[in-house]
Amino acid sequence: MLISDPLTMAAMADAVSLTSTVDGMSDTFGSSMDLRDDISSVGSDSEYDGAAPYRRTDRYGFIGRGNADGSSGQLSLELLRRREMKWLDMTMHWEKTMSRRYKKVKLLCRKGIPSSLRARCWPMLCGGQAHMDRHPQIYQDLDRAPGERQWIETIEKDIHRQFPFHEMFLSPEGHGQQGLLRVLKAYTVYRPEEGYCQAQGPIAAMLLMQMPVEQAFWCLVQICDKYLPGYYSPEMEAVLLDGEVFVALLKKVCPVAYKHLKKHSIGPLLYVTEWFLCLFTRTLPFPTVLRIWDAFLSEGVKVLFRVGLVLVRLALGSSEKLKQCGGLVETLEKMRTIPPQLLREDVLIPEVHNLAVSDRDIQKTCLAQLSKMKKSNPEFKFHPGTRLYGAKAIFDDQQLREAQRLDIVVPTPLGLAIPTIVVEEVTLRKTKVERKSEREEMKEQKRREAVHQQEVKRLEVEARKSRKKPATRAETFHVQCKSLAPECQEQQPSSSLKRNSGPY
């Protein structure tokens, strides 16, 4: 049958296009539901609850959770505004704040950075903002670079696994997945010796939820270079070392769990690897992860150790809990299925900050475990000396480098202009000579002061010897009486003289 009416033909065309659109949407959501059991969403707020495609999102952008975000409730508007004003004041005078009032910054980070200011505060805490301000063109050059095809193909395969049920990362053509591809590709060009590690995906995605692409890139660089050096290298020796450090700390903090894990030969790499490499983004509720990142960017890797130790203690910290763990599989399952009410930010975060594990404890244990690993494996090359413990150490390191270095642009094989830090040898040589002369002058000055003090003591001794002392008090009294004038002696009665001179 032929249809000649143009209106009818237009209506049929609209119906066909609508049908194809609906089919495409159903295919899209069907493919999304195939990713429901993806490991990247296990235990986190990115789990998709239900099959309906149109669901409300929570305040963090995750689909299907509504208000069940694992938090303790919204802060009062007045308290939130006060905290925002404090952070705005500190960020406007950041150098002064970090130099003189870092304890206040640390305390406010433990209380939690306001969500509206994380895009401003996280880059400042980790030092990424300073790098971006000092080298504004580097990221643009890295973004325009083609990159290695091997890394790009691997990144494209992993992108859809990062928070698949967050509204930013639903579409392959959306700004979330495209920004994630740009950040990870730029890092492979910036650090070609490291390349790409799958654990960098959730970290970069977490950063993109809070800030623009360029800031997210520099924060990723700081996390990989300063906070967790060696974690994402091909050998991953830093993760092996920190796993042994974690076990040594667990022996002191929770001996019951330590004995159980040792009994069943459960090594730290079976559970610590995902925690530390992904910074707990795949393990804990999203509000709790945000609070952990606030403290981690402020205090460093110490926070990761504390969170891991608290999780093991919550899962295996008593004999009653260990009754259900008969072997390796049951123990790992017990650690993965900690009750959700214990993982809320208002419950977990205070325990983390109250745990008595300091930077000094980690450093001391790290050196002890490093010596053991080098004895057992002489080819072990990693040394944790490049790791900086927190925002204060990173800020001090940047200030020192800014005062002592010159930036010289060196072309790379890819044609990128990346600044290289070079210190003039002449300056160092002059500094050594000046320091040597200063030391000699200080020694000469100390010698002169010592000679002067000896001379003063000698003169005091001579003066003390030359001074003549009276023999007795009686002789002094009689000498004084004899020196009186005759008229004074006549005026004094003899009886008084006898009484006064009697006791002497």
Side-chain angles (χ1 to χ4, degrees), residues 11-62:
M12 292 179 64
D14 292 339
V16 171
S17 62
L18 180 61
T19 304
S20 61
T21 303
V22 172
D23 293 338
M25 291 177 63
S26 62
D27 293 338
T28 302
F29 285 108
S31 61
S32 297
M33 290 306 300
D34 292 338
L35 301 174
R36 182 173 178 177
D37 294 333
D38 192 276
I39 192 172
S40 63
S41 63
V42 173
S44 68
D45 281 352
S46 60
E47 290 183 4
Y48 196 80
D49 193 8
Y54 299 104
R55 285 189 177 273
R56 295 177 58 186
T57 60
D58 62 7
R59 60 193 179 103
Y60 300 105
F62 289 98

Side-chain angles (χ1 to χ4, degrees), residues 174-190:
H175 68 282
Q177 292 195 23
Q178 291 300 313
L180 188 58
L181 175 62
R182 292 171 60 191
V183 170
L184 296 175
K185 187 265 293 183
Y187 186 84
T188 60
V189 180
Y190 187 76

Side-chain angles (χ1 to χ4, degrees), residues 76 120 137 166 173 220-221 234 237-238 249 259 281 284 296 333 339 350 374 384 389 392 407 409 428 455 458 466 484:
S76 65
R120 182 186 182 107
Q137 294 298 325
H166 192 278
E173 303 299 329
L220 177 64
V221 169
E237 292 181 337
L249 294 174
K259 293 178 181 178
T281 54
L284 299 175
F296 167 72
E333 185 64 22
K374 285 188 175 181
Y389 291 83
K392 179 59 175 169
D407 294 339
V409 177
L428 291 175
E455 185 67 19
R458 186 182 63 80
S466 63
L484 293 174

Side-chain angles (χ1 to χ4, degrees), residues 289-304:
V289 174
L290 289 175
R291 293 287 302 277
I292 290 173
W293 277 53
D294 293 341
F296 167 72
L297 295 176
S298 172
E299 303 178 46
V301 73
K302 169 182 65 178
V303 177
L304 301 185

